[in-house]
Each structure stands twice: as C-alpha cells, then as structure tokens.
Amino acid sequence: MKIWAAISDAARGWVLLLRGRDDWRDYFKLSAAGLATALVLFIFITFLAVIMVAIGTDIPGLFGIVASMVALSLPLIAMALVLAGTRSAMRVTVPTYDMLVPGTYLLMAFVVVEGVLASLIGGPIVLLSWLVLGYLLYRLAQAAADWPMPIATGFAVLTVLLLVAMRQALYMLSSTAALPT
C-alpha cells in the first residue's frame, strides 16, 4: 500500500514542517518521481471527489468529469503559476521540488477539506479555509525556500488570490455559457 505510505509520510512531513523542524524533508520524495507520485494521488483524489459528489445526482459524462477535475485542480495550477512568477520576478532560487511536492499534498488535503466544509457548513467557512491555506503556503515558502517574510507572505497571498480569481472567472464563464442566445 504505497499510496497510504506516501500520504502518511506527507502528513508527518507537514507536521514537522509546521513545528519548524529541519527533518521534514525526509518524509517527502523531493524528486521528479516524488512529484509524479503526488500528482497521481492528486488526480485520483479529485476524481474520487467528482464521483462522490455525482453519486447524489447523476454521473456526468467524460467531459463533465474532466471539467470538474480541472476546476478542482485550480489550487495546484495557481500555486505553480505563482511559484514560477515569484522565482522569476524576485530572482530567487529555490529547489522546485521542495515547494511543489509538499504543496501538492497540501492542496490535495485542501480540496477535500474545503469541499467537505463547503457542502456541510456553507460559504463563510470557505473563507476560513482560504486563510488557513494562505498560512500553510507561507510556512511552506519559509521552510522550503528560506524566503524572508515579505516574499513568503507575497507568495501565499498571491496564490490564494489567484485561486479565488480563477474560480470566479470559471464561475462567470460557466454561467454565461448556459445563457440562451
């Protein structure tokens, strides 16, 4: 059961990261293979989330499943874009795998927790989940990249803002596409 081992190692790594310990990297495979594992798990979790939501209604077709999975992957896309932009704009170096691998596991948990909170409690609690996500991204930027507080804060804030903006744009596009002409 390598899936459970990877997820439990990631959870242990995140606990150590939040505690400020230096050995948090030992629990992540910070390589291309580790990133591939994290991405496969992320895709699997988003697929399960789409199917679980659809069970109560009607299973969508292939296009509907893929579109829903793309919508659920927006946090990961936002983080990757902001990481690339921060590295380019600030001319800072950071091992990409040190940010992307733990970040992918974080966003996997975020997608599940935010989805559950939104469906059970409602909208205002989603704002709290975004704030927690921002804090965790800030901690990741400080631990993995050793960025100073302003850069780490900017990375976290821009990632959450881009996520919110991308979701809002997707919502507006999907609602206007359904309008009759």
Side-chain angles (χ1 to χ4, degrees), residues 49-149:
V50 169
I51 297 302
M52 289 179 72
V53 167
I55 286 175
T57 57
D58 188 21
I59 303 290
L62 181 62
F63 178 76
I65 291 173
V66 171
S68 298
M69 289 175 65
V70 168
L72 288 175
S73 68
L74 287 179
L76 186 60
I77 294 167
M79 183 188 70
L81 289 173
V82 173
L83 176 61
T86 302
R87 288 181 63 176
S88 175
M90 303 306 277
R91 299 196 196 298
V92 291
T93 59
V94 58
T96 306
Y97 296 126
D98 286 11
M99 293 283 288
L100 287 179
V101 173
T104 302
Y105 284 105
L106 167 65
L107 295 172
M108 186 185 326
F110 172 75
V111 165
V112 171
V113 169
E114 183 197 33
V116 168
L117 290 176
S119 66
L120 294 178
I121 299 171
I125 199 73
V126 172
L127 178 61
L128 179 62
S129 69
W130 291 341
L131 293 173
V132 170
L133 175 65
Y135 174 73
L136 293 174
L137 288 169
Y138 165 78
R139 294 286 300 180
L140 174 63
Q142 282 197 317
D146 198 28
W147 286 343
M149 190 178 107

Side-chain angles (χ1 to χ4, degrees), residues 2-13 41 45 105 108:
K2 292 189 181 247
I3 292 173
W4 295 114
I7 292 173
S8 68
D9 283 349
R12 278 190 232 128
L41 286 171
I45 293 296
Y105 284 105
M108 186 185 326

Side-chain angles (χ1 to χ4, degrees), residues 29-50:
K29 289 185 178 180
L30 302 174
S31 63
L35 180 60
T37 301
L39 289 173
V40 167
L41 286 171
F42 187 87
I43 291 167
F44 179 69
I45 293 296
T46 58
F47 177 74
L48 285 180
V50 169

